[in-house]
Each structure stands twice: as structure tokens, then as C-alpha cells.
Amino acid sequence: MVLVALATAVASLAPVAGAPGAPAASATAAASAAGATSAASATRAARPCAGARTCYVDVSVAEIWTAPDQVRTVDARALTHPVDIRGWLADLGRDGPLRHDVPGETQALYGTRVTVERTWRDARGLLWDHVLVDGQPSPKDTTGRGAYPGWVPDRQLTSARAAAPSGATPKRIAAPTAWAYTTLAAAVAAAGAGRATEYSYGTAFSVRPTEVPGVERATAHDGTALYLRSADLTEVRPHPTGADAVTEARRFLGLDYLWSGASAFGYDCSGLTSQVYAMLGVTVPRDTQPQFDAGAGRAPAGSATGTRIAKEDLAALRPGDVLAFGQDEDHVTHAGLYTGTKDGRPMMINSPRTGERVREEPFLSSGRTYLGATRFLP
């Protein structure tokens, strides 16, 4: 049993109004609501992005919005620093139009690098950044950086990033979510009073062992110490397989669907497949159509290439293949992860739609038209 008798360990573009492509200043209801929240719930990063070209996500999960003028009053909790992601999801409910119509593109985890293209300040003074999110390849990125475009409140980003300490090991959150603690003692006890932030699966940290087995130390962007439990962390596998992707995806059985979701607080269909592969060190396209296209030599910049498995060749499927569904090969609207067969029926894990949860099911009887698959791993 671990002993506890330890001391406390102590996170070049100017704002442009009316920038090309910026939303109209008259439509800012939700952004304004969030801009008016209390200082306790809407603080800023220690060094906000505020004009820097390269910045980093400074909240546990940042929603990447289609446009600020589409954000709703109900989305206010998703715009703060620190973000209240669970409070936002509770406000949306499990089903219905509020959750179905989230005006988001994707999400970005703590520490994700973004490139700021332009900024815009709404009528209440909330500064927004139009960014390209690293590690989520998309043909929507016309610059060829292999990133995903969208809008995020500047206060959820930071230009500061503490250097990884000497001898640190890169690891990622392997649990669906995991808490970081402000002190070593709190991490040992998993004490609520010492909790700092709840992070998503896949969030990357550089960590070093502490004097207590089972607890590791990371550094926040502002240099503050964070303590994480070793059981919640893992290193990237050196030689992952498709079967590993299935093992990872099964962690999320029962998780509610969220449109634009790319975190373990809620995934959409391609958010689940892309983040499972990211956890294995393989970067695949963020969305369903380019995930399918990557199997035919049309992967966007920054993405792994894949191998197409024809829809007629069910016997060729292997666990981990990314299945595609839709009207036709140019209109792919859903993705799942092939898991093998059960009672002779080919199965998939998928995050189906709003109001439903991640599940494993026979994919030929899912009510969707199967179009083929892309293989990214052997």
C-alpha cells in the first residue's frame, strides 16, 4: 500500500473586426452569454493566444465551432475557461434538437497545437480565433497543412507551453477520462478536494515518475505541476494492429453520441474511429468521407494512406478496418469499426446518432447502405 506524507506541489495576428470570412457582428447571442459569465467560470489562460500565430488548447476539451454567430445560448458552458464540458452536455440533454444541432465542426484536446489564421471580436468583446487544428487531417483545410479549420474562443487557447522536463516520457490518457490532481497526496488518495481537471482519453502529457509508485508528474502549460495516476496512462504501442483498434474502441461502449465529438465525453461516428487510431499513433482523416477516400489514394495532407476493401469482399475484412456507409462512394455519411463476426454475422462498433450510444452490432442489418472499408493497420 502506498504511503502518503507529502507536500503540495505547486498552466502575430492582431484582433481584426470584420476580417474576411468573419461572421456578422449582429449574431452573437450565445457568445455574448458566455462573455458575460462570472470571472470564476470564465477565466483566461495564463497567457492567452491573443494574436500569436501558434497556440495550444488550454482547456480539457475545446469545441471547434462552425462560426461564432451559430453558437447558441445553451452552449455557454462550452465557451469558458476552464470549460464545463459535462455541464454543457447536461444542458443539451441526451436527445432532441439541442444536442442534434450542435453547431460544431470537431473538438480538440488539451495541448493540441493550432495555427491561428485570423481573429474576430464579437459585440460583447469576446475574442474568437479562426484556427487550423493539428492532427485532424481534412480536405476542408485548403492550406495543405493536414489540419481541421474552425472557430474557438481565444480564452481557451494559450501561447505558453512549458518545456517537457528532462527525462520525461510521452504518455496519453488511456482511461475514458482521468483526473489530474494538484498534489501528490491527492493523486494517491484520488481525493476530490485535490482534483484539478478531468481530461479525455488520448490527451498527451510528458510525465516523470514520482517518489510514490503509481503516480506520475506532468507540467501544465503555465508550469504548474499536475499529478496523474499511472493506471490512467499509457505509452503509444510501437507496432499497433487493427485488433488493437478494436480493443480501444470497446472502451466506449455505452457512451452517448455527440455531433462533432472527438473526445471521450462524447464521440460522433468518425470522431470515434479517428481518435482510436490517434491513440495508436496513426493519424487518419477526421471525417467519414476522407476516411473512405484514404483507401483509394485520396488521403488529405497529413493522413496515413489506407487500402480499399471492396464492399463485395466481406471475407477480406479484418478487425480494425474502418467501414463506410452512405448513399454512394461520393456521399459517405457514417463510419464504424469492423470487429469480426458473431454467429456468422459481420459486426462493427459505431457511434450511431444523436440519442443513441456507442454499440457493437451487425452492420449489414444496421439500416445503412454499406459501401466498403479502409484498412489503415494490418
Short mmCIF file of all heavy atoms in Angstrom, two decimals, residues 98-142:
data_model
loop_
_atom_site.label_atom_id
_atom_site.label_comp_id
_atom_site.label_asym_id
_atom_site.label_seq_id
_atom_site.Cartn_x
_atom_site.Cartn_y
_atom_site.Cartn_z
N LEU A 98 -31.45 20.28 -29.32
CA LEU A 98 -30.30 20.98 -28.77
C LEU A 98 -29.02 20.18 -28.97
O LEU A 98 -27.97 20.73 -29.31
CB LEU A 98 -30.51 21.26 -27.27
CG LEU A 98 -31.57 22.30 -26.92
CD1 LEU A 98 -31.67 22.44 -25.42
CD2 LEU A 98 -31.27 23.65 -27.58
N ARG A 99 -29.11 18.87 -28.75
CA ARG A 99 -27.93 18.02 -28.94
C ARG A 99 -27.73 17.69 -30.41
O ARG A 99 -26.59 17.59 -30.88
CB ARG A 99 -28.07 16.75 -28.11
CG ARG A 99 -26.75 15.98 -27.96
CD ARG A 99 -26.92 14.80 -27.03
NE ARG A 99 -25.66 14.11 -26.79
CZ ARG A 99 -24.97 14.17 -25.67
NH1 ARG A 99 -25.42 14.89 -24.65
NH2 ARG A 99 -23.85 13.50 -25.52
N HIS A 100 -28.81 17.49 -31.13
CA HIS A 100 -28.72 17.12 -32.54
C HIS A 100 -28.09 18.23 -33.37
O HIS A 100 -27.35 17.96 -34.33
CB HIS A 100 -30.11 16.80 -33.07
CG HIS A 100 -30.16 16.37 -34.51
ND1 HIS A 100 -30.24 17.27 -35.55
CD2 HIS A 100 -30.09 15.14 -35.08
CE1 HIS A 100 -30.25 16.62 -36.69
NE2 HIS A 100 -30.17 15.33 -36.44
N ASP A 101 -28.37 19.49 -33.00
CA ASP A 101 -27.98 20.62 -33.84
C ASP A 101 -26.78 21.39 -33.31
O ASP A 101 -26.68 22.61 -33.52
CB ASP A 101 -29.18 21.56 -34.00
CG ASP A 101 -30.36 20.88 -34.69
OD1 ASP A 101 -30.13 19.95 -35.47
OD2 ASP A 101 -31.51 21.29 -34.42
N VAL A 102 -25.87 20.71 -32.63
CA VAL A 102 -24.66 21.39 -32.16
C VAL A 102 -23.94 22.02 -33.36
O VAL A 102 -23.61 21.32 -34.33
CB VAL A 102 -23.72 20.39 -31.45
CG1 VAL A 102 -22.37 21.04 -31.14
CG2 VAL A 102 -24.36 19.89 -30.15
N PRO A 103 -23.67 23.32 -33.31
CA PRO A 103 -23.03 23.99 -34.45
C PRO A 103 -21.50 23.87 -34.41
O PRO A 103 -20.77 24.85 -34.52
CB PRO A 103 -23.48 25.45 -34.29
CG PRO A 103 -23.61 25.63 -32.81
CD PRO A 103 -24.10 24.30 -32.28
N GLY A 104 -21.04 22.64 -34.24
CA GLY A 104 -19.61 22.40 -34.12
C GLY A 104 -19.06 21.63 -35.30
O GLY A 104 -19.80 20.95 -36.02
N GLU A 105 -17.76 21.74 -35.48
CA GLU A 105 -17.05 21.00 -36.52
C GLU A 105 -16.35 19.77 -35.95
O GLU A 105 -16.41 18.68 -36.50
CB GLU A 105 -16.01 21.91 -37.19
CG GLU A 105 -16.60 23.07 -37.97
CD GLU A 105 -17.12 22.65 -39.33
OE1 GLU A 105 -16.97 21.47 -39.69
OE2 GLU A 105 -17.69 23.50 -40.03
N THR A 106 -15.64 19.97 -34.85
CA THR A 106 -14.88 18.90 -34.22
C THR A 106 -14.53 19.38 -32.81
O THR A 106 -15.07 20.39 -32.33
CB THR A 106 -13.61 18.55 -35.04
OG1 THR A 106 -12.95 17.41 -34.45
CG2 THR A 106 -12.64 19.71 -35.12
N GLN A 107 -13.64 18.68 -32.13
CA GLN A 107 -13.13 19.09 -30.84
C GLN A 107 -11.62 18.91 -30.82
O GLN A 107 -11.07 18.15 -31.63
CB GLN A 107 -13.76 18.26 -29.70
CG GLN A 107 -15.25 18.50 -29.54
CD GLN A 107 -15.86 17.60 -28.48
OE1 GLN A 107 -15.40 16.48 -28.24
NE2 GLN A 107 -16.91 18.07 -27.84
N ALA A 108 -10.97 19.60 -29.91
CA ALA A 108 -9.52 19.49 -29.76
C ALA A 108 -9.18 19.30 -28.29
O ALA A 108 -9.74 20.00 -27.43
CB ALA A 108 -8.82 20.72 -30.31
N LEU A 109 -8.28 18.37 -28.00
CA LEU A 109 -7.91 18.04 -26.63
C LEU A 109 -6.85 19.00 -26.10
O LEU A 109 -6.13 19.65 -26.86
CB LEU A 109 -7.37 16.61 -26.57
CG LEU A 109 -8.28 15.50 -27.10
CD1 LEU A 109 -7.60 14.14 -26.94
CD2 LEU A 109 -9.63 15.52 -26.40
N TYR A 110 -6.76 19.06 -24.79
CA TYR A 110 -5.74 19.87 -24.11
C TYR A 110 -4.37 19.60 -24.72
O TYR A 110 -3.97 18.47 -24.96
CB TYR A 110 -5.72 19.51 -22.63
CG TYR A 110 -4.65 20.24 -21.84
CD1 TYR A 110 -4.88 21.52 -21.34
CD2 TYR A 110 -3.41 19.65 -21.60
CE1 TYR A 110 -3.90 22.19 -20.63
CE2 TYR A 110 -2.43 20.31 -20.88
CZ TYR A 110 -2.68 21.59 -20.40
OH TYR A 110 -1.70 22.24 -19.68
N GLY A 111 -3.65 20.68 -24.99
CA GLY A 111 -2.30 20.56 -25.53
C GLY A 111 -2.21 20.52 -27.03
O GLY A 111 -1.10 20.62 -27.59
N THR A 112 -3.34 20.36 -27.73
CA THR A 112 -3.32 20.30 -29.19
C THR A 112 -2.83 21.63 -29.76
O THR A 112 -3.28 22.70 -29.36
CB THR A 112 -4.72 19.99 -29.74
OG1 THR A 112 -5.14 18.71 -29.26
CG2 THR A 112 -4.71 19.97 -31.27
N ARG A 113 -1.93 21.55 -30.71
CA ARG A 113 -1.41 22.77 -31.36
C ARG A 113 -2.39 23.23 -32.43
O ARG A 113 -2.95 22.42 -33.18
CB ARG A 113 -0.05 22.50 -31.98
CG ARG A 113 0.60 23.75 -32.58
CD ARG A 113 2.00 23.45 -33.06
NE ARG A 113 2.00 22.50 -34.17
CZ ARG A 113 3.10 22.03 -34.74
NH1 ARG A 113 4.29 22.40 -34.30
NH2 ARG A 113 3.02 21.17 -35.74
N VAL A 114 -2.59 24.54 -32.49
CA VAL A 114 -3.43 25.13 -33.53
C VAL A 114 -2.67 26.28 -34.18
O VAL A 114 -1.81 26.92 -33.55
CB VAL A 114 -4.77 25.64 -32.97
CG1 VAL A 114 -5.55 24.52 -32.30
CG2 VAL A 114 -4.58 26.81 -32.00
N THR A 115 -2.99 26.52 -35.42
CA THR A 115 -2.47 27.68 -36.14
C THR A 115 -3.59 28.69 -36.28
O THR A 115 -4.67 28.36 -36.78
CB THR A 115 -1.95 27.27 -37.53
OG1 THR A 115 -0.90 26.31 -37.39
CG2 THR A 115 -1.43 28.49 -38.29
N VAL A 116 -3.36 29.91 -35.81
CA VAL A 116 -4.38 30.95 -35.87
C VAL A 116 -4.30 31.67 -37.21
O VAL A 116 -3.26 32.24 -37.56
CB VAL A 116 -4.21 31.96 -34.71
CG1 VAL A 116 -5.30 33.03 -34.78
CG2 VAL A 116 -4.26 31.23 -33.36
N GLU A 117 -5.40 31.65 -37.95
CA GLU A 117 -5.44 32.32 -39.25
C GLU A 117 -5.92 33.77 -39.15
O GLU A 117 -5.42 34.65 -39.84
CB GLU A 117 -6.37 31.55 -40.19
CG GLU A 117 -5.84 30.20 -40.62
CD GLU A 117 -6.60 29.68 -41.82
OE1 GLU A 117 -7.85 29.57 -41.76
OE2 GLU A 117 -5.95 29.38 -42.83
N ARG A 118 -6.91 34.00 -38.29
CA ARG A 118 -7.43 35.36 -38.11
C ARG A 118 -8.22 35.40 -36.81
O ARG A 118 -8.55 34.35 -36.24
CB ARG A 118 -8.31 35.79 -39.28
CG ARG A 118 -9.54 34.91 -39.51
CD ARG A 118 -10.27 35.35 -40.78
NE ARG A 118 -11.49 34.58 -41.01
CZ ARG A 118 -11.52 33.43 -41.67
NH1 ARG A 118 -10.41 32.90 -42.16
NH2 ARG A 118 -12.68 32.81 -41.87
N THR A 119 -8.50 36.60 -36.34
CA THR A 119 -9.27 36.76 -35.11
C THR A 119 -10.43 37.71 -35.35
O THR A 119 -10.45 38.48 -36.31
CB THR A 119 -8.39 37.31 -33.97
OG1 THR A 119 -7.91 38.62 -34.34
CG2 THR A 119 -7.19 36.40 -33.71
N TRP A 120 -11.39 37.64 -34.44
CA TRP A 120 -12.60 38.47 -34.56
C TRP A 120 -13.18 38.65 -33.18
O TRP A 120 -13.21 37.71 -32.39
CB TRP A 120 -13.60 37.78 -35.49
CG TRP A 120 -14.91 38.50 -35.64
CD1 TRP A 120 -15.16 39.60 -36.41
CD2 TRP A 120 -16.15 38.17 -35.00
NE1 TRP A 120 -16.47 39.97 -36.31
CE2 TRP A 120 -17.11 39.11 -35.44
CE3 TRP A 120 -16.54 37.17 -34.11
CZ2 TRP A 120 -18.44 39.08 -35.01
CZ3 TRP A 120 -17.86 37.14 -33.68
CH2 TRP A 120 -18.80 38.08 -34.14
N ARG A 121 -13.61 39.88 -32.87
CA ARG A 121 -14.18 40.17 -31.56
C ARG A 121 -15.68 40.45 -31.71
O ARG A 121 -16.08 41.27 -32.54
CB ARG A 121 -13.47 41.37 -30.92
CG ARG A 121 -13.79 41.52 -29.43
CD ARG A 121 -13.03 42.70 -28.83
NE ARG A 121 -11.59 42.52 -28.88
CZ ARG A 121 -10.88 41.83 -27.98
NH1 ARG A 121 -11.50 41.23 -26.97
NH2 ARG A 121 -9.57 41.73 -28.10
N ASP A 122 -16.49 39.75 -30.90
CA ASP A 122 -17.92 39.94 -31.04
C ASP A 122 -18.39 41.20 -30.31
O ASP A 122 -17.59 41.93 -29.71
CB ASP A 122 -18.69 38.69 -30.59
CG ASP A 122 -18.66 38.44 -29.09
OD1 ASP A 122 -18.47 39.39 -28.31
OD2 ASP A 122 -18.83 37.27 -28.68
N ALA A 123 -19.71 41.46 -30.35
CA ALA A 123 -20.24 42.71 -29.84
C ALA A 123 -20.03 42.87 -28.34
O ALA A 123 -20.00 44.01 -27.84
CB ALA A 123 -21.74 42.80 -30.18
N ARG A 124 -19.91 41.77 -27.60
CA ARG A 124 -19.67 41.84 -26.16
C ARG A 124 -18.20 41.79 -25.80
O ARG A 124 -17.85 41.73 -24.63
CB ARG A 124 -20.42 40.69 -25.47
CG ARG A 124 -21.94 40.82 -25.51
CD ARG A 124 -22.40 41.97 -24.62
NE ARG A 124 -23.84 42.01 -24.54
CZ ARG A 124 -24.57 41.38 -23.63
NH1 ARG A 124 -23.99 40.62 -22.73
NH2 ARG A 124 -25.88 41.49 -23.64
N GLY A 125 -17.34 41.75 -26.79
CA GLY A 125 -15.92 41.78 -26.51
C GLY A 125 -15.24 40.43 -26.45
O GLY A 125 -14.04 40.36 -26.17
N LEU A 126 -15.97 39.32 -26.69
CA LEU A 126 -15.35 38.00 -26.66
C LEU A 126 -14.51 37.81 -27.92
O LEU A 126 -15.01 37.93 -29.04
CB LEU A 126 -16.41 36.90 -26.57
CG LEU A 126 -15.89 35.46 -26.48
CD1 LEU A 126 -15.02 35.27 -25.24
CD2 LEU A 126 -17.03 34.45 -26.48
N LEU A 127 -13.23 37.52 -27.73
CA LEU A 127 -12.31 37.35 -28.85
C LEU A 127 -12.36 35.91 -29.35
O LEU A 127 -12.24 34.96 -28.56
CB LEU A 127 -10.88 37.71 -28.42
CG LEU A 127 -9.81 37.66 -29.50
CD1 LEU A 127 -10.10 38.71 -30.59
CD2 LEU A 127 -8.43 37.89 -28.89
N TRP A 128 -12.53 35.75 -30.65
CA TRP A 128 -12.58 34.44 -31.30
C TRP A 128 -11.37 34.29 -32.22
O TRP A 128 -10.94 35.26 -32.84
CB TRP A 128 -13.85 34.31 -32.13
CG TRP A 128 -15.10 34.19 -31.33
CD1 TRP A 128 -15.84 35.21 -30.80
CD2 TRP A 128 -15.77 32.98 -30.99
NE1 TRP A 128 -16.94 34.70 -30.15
CE2 TRP A 128 -16.93 33.33 -30.24
CE3 TRP A 128 -15.53 31.63 -31.24
CZ2 TRP A 128 -17.82 32.39 -29.75
CZ3 TRP A 128 -16.42 30.69 -30.76
CH2 TRP A 128 -17.55 31.06 -30.01
N ASP A 129 -10.88 33.06 -32.33
CA ASP A 129 -9.79 32.75 -33.24
C ASP A 129 -10.26 31.74 -34.29
O ASP A 129 -10.88 30.72 -33.92
CB ASP A 129 -8.60 32.13 -32.50
CG ASP A 129 -7.99 33.10 -31.49
OD1 ASP A 129 -8.03 34.31 -31.72
OD2 ASP A 129 -7.49 32.62 -30.45
N HIS A 130 -9.99 32.02 -35.55
CA HIS A 130 -10.20 31.00 -36.58
C HIS A 130 -8.90 30.23 -36.70
O HIS A 130 -7.84 30.80 -36.98
CB HIS A 130 -10.57 31.62 -37.92
CG HIS A 130 -10.98 30.60 -38.94
ND1 HIS A 130 -10.09 30.05 -39.84
CD2 HIS A 130 -12.17 29.99 -39.15
CE1 HIS A 130 -10.72 29.16 -40.59
NE2 HIS A 130 -11.98 29.10 -40.19
N VAL A 131 -8.98 28.92 -36.45
CA VAL A 131 -7.77 28.11 -36.29
C VAL A 131 -7.76 26.92 -37.23
O VAL A 131 -8.80 26.51 -37.77
CB VAL A 131 -7.62 27.60 -34.84
CG1 VAL A 131 -7.53 28.78 -33.87
CG2 VAL A 131 -8.78 26.67 -34.45
N LEU A 132 -6.58 26.35 -37.40
CA LEU A 132 -6.38 25.06 -38.04
C LEU A 132 -5.87 24.12 -36.96
O LEU A 132 -4.83 24.37 -36.34
CB LEU A 132 -5.38 25.16 -39.18
CG LEU A 132 -5.79 26.06 -40.35
CD1 LEU A 132 -4.62 26.25 -41.30
CD2 LEU A 132 -6.99 25.46 -41.08
N VAL A 133 -6.62 23.04 -36.70
CA VAL A 133 -6.32 22.11 -35.61
C VAL A 133 -5.39 21.02 -36.11
O VAL A 133 -5.75 20.25 -37.02
CB VAL A 133 -7.61 21.49 -35.05
CG1 VAL A 133 -7.29 20.51 -33.92
CG2 VAL A 133 -8.56 22.58 -34.57
N ASP A 134 -4.20 20.94 -35.54
CA ASP A 134 -3.24 19.91 -35.93
C ASP A 134 -3.77 18.51 -35.61
O ASP A 134 -4.54 18.31 -34.66
CB ASP A 134 -1.92 20.10 -35.18
CG ASP A 134 -1.01 21.11 -35.86
OD1 ASP A 134 -1.50 21.86 -36.72
OD2 ASP A 134 0.19 21.14 -35.52
N GLY A 135 -3.32 17.53 -36.41
CA GLY A 135 -3.61 16.13 -36.11
C GLY A 135 -4.98 15.65 -36.51
O GLY A 135 -5.35 14.51 -36.21
N GLN A 136 -5.75 16.50 -37.22
CA GLN A 136 -7.08 16.10 -37.70
C GLN A 136 -7.18 16.44 -39.18
O GLN A 136 -7.82 17.41 -39.58
CB GLN A 136 -8.18 16.80 -36.89
CG GLN A 136 -8.17 16.45 -35.41
CD GLN A 136 -9.40 16.93 -34.68
OE1 GLN A 136 -10.49 17.06 -35.25
NE2 GLN A 136 -9.26 17.18 -33.39
N PRO A 137 -6.54 15.62 -40.03
CA PRO A 137 -6.49 15.93 -41.47
C PRO A 137 -7.88 16.04 -42.09
O PRO A 137 -8.77 15.22 -41.80
CB PRO A 137 -5.72 14.74 -42.05
CG PRO A 137 -4.91 14.20 -40.91
CD PRO A 137 -5.77 14.42 -39.69
N SER A 138 -8.02 17.04 -42.93
CA SER A 138 -9.30 17.27 -43.58
C SER A 138 -9.10 17.99 -44.90
O SER A 138 -8.29 18.92 -44.98
CB SER A 138 -10.22 18.11 -42.68
OG SER A 138 -11.38 18.51 -43.38
N PRO A 139 -9.86 17.63 -45.93
CA PRO A 139 -9.81 18.40 -47.18
C PRO A 139 -10.39 19.80 -47.02
O PRO A 139 -10.23 20.64 -47.91
CB PRO A 139 -10.64 17.55 -48.15
CG PRO A 139 -11.49 16.68 -47.28
CD PRO A 139 -10.72 16.45 -46.03
N LYS A 140 -11.04 20.08 -45.87
CA LYS A 140 -11.52 21.43 -45.61
C LYS A 140 -10.37 22.41 -45.40
O LYS A 140 -10.54 23.62 -45.52
CB LYS A 140 -12.43 21.44 -44.38
CG LYS A 140 -13.73 20.68 -44.55
CD LYS A 140 -14.56 20.75 -43.27
CE LYS A 140 -15.87 19.97 -43.42
NZ LYS A 140 -16.70 20.04 -42.19
N ASP A 141 -9.20 21.88 -45.05
CA ASP A 141 -8.01 22.70 -44.89
C ASP A 141 -7.40 22.93 -46.27
O ASP A 141 -6.74 22.06 -46.82
CB ASP A 141 -7.01 22.01 -43.95
CG ASP A 141 -5.66 22.71 -43.90
OD1 ASP A 141 -5.58 23.89 -44.31
OD2 ASP A 141 -4.69 22.08 -43.46
N THR A 142 -7.60 24.12 -46.80
CA THR A 142 -7.12 24.41 -48.15
C THR A 142 -5.65 24.80 -48.18
O THR A 142 -5.09 25.00 -49.25
CB THR A 142 -7.96 25.54 -48.76
OG1 THR A 142 -7.87 26.71 -47.92
CG2 THR A 142 -9.42 25.14 -48.89
#
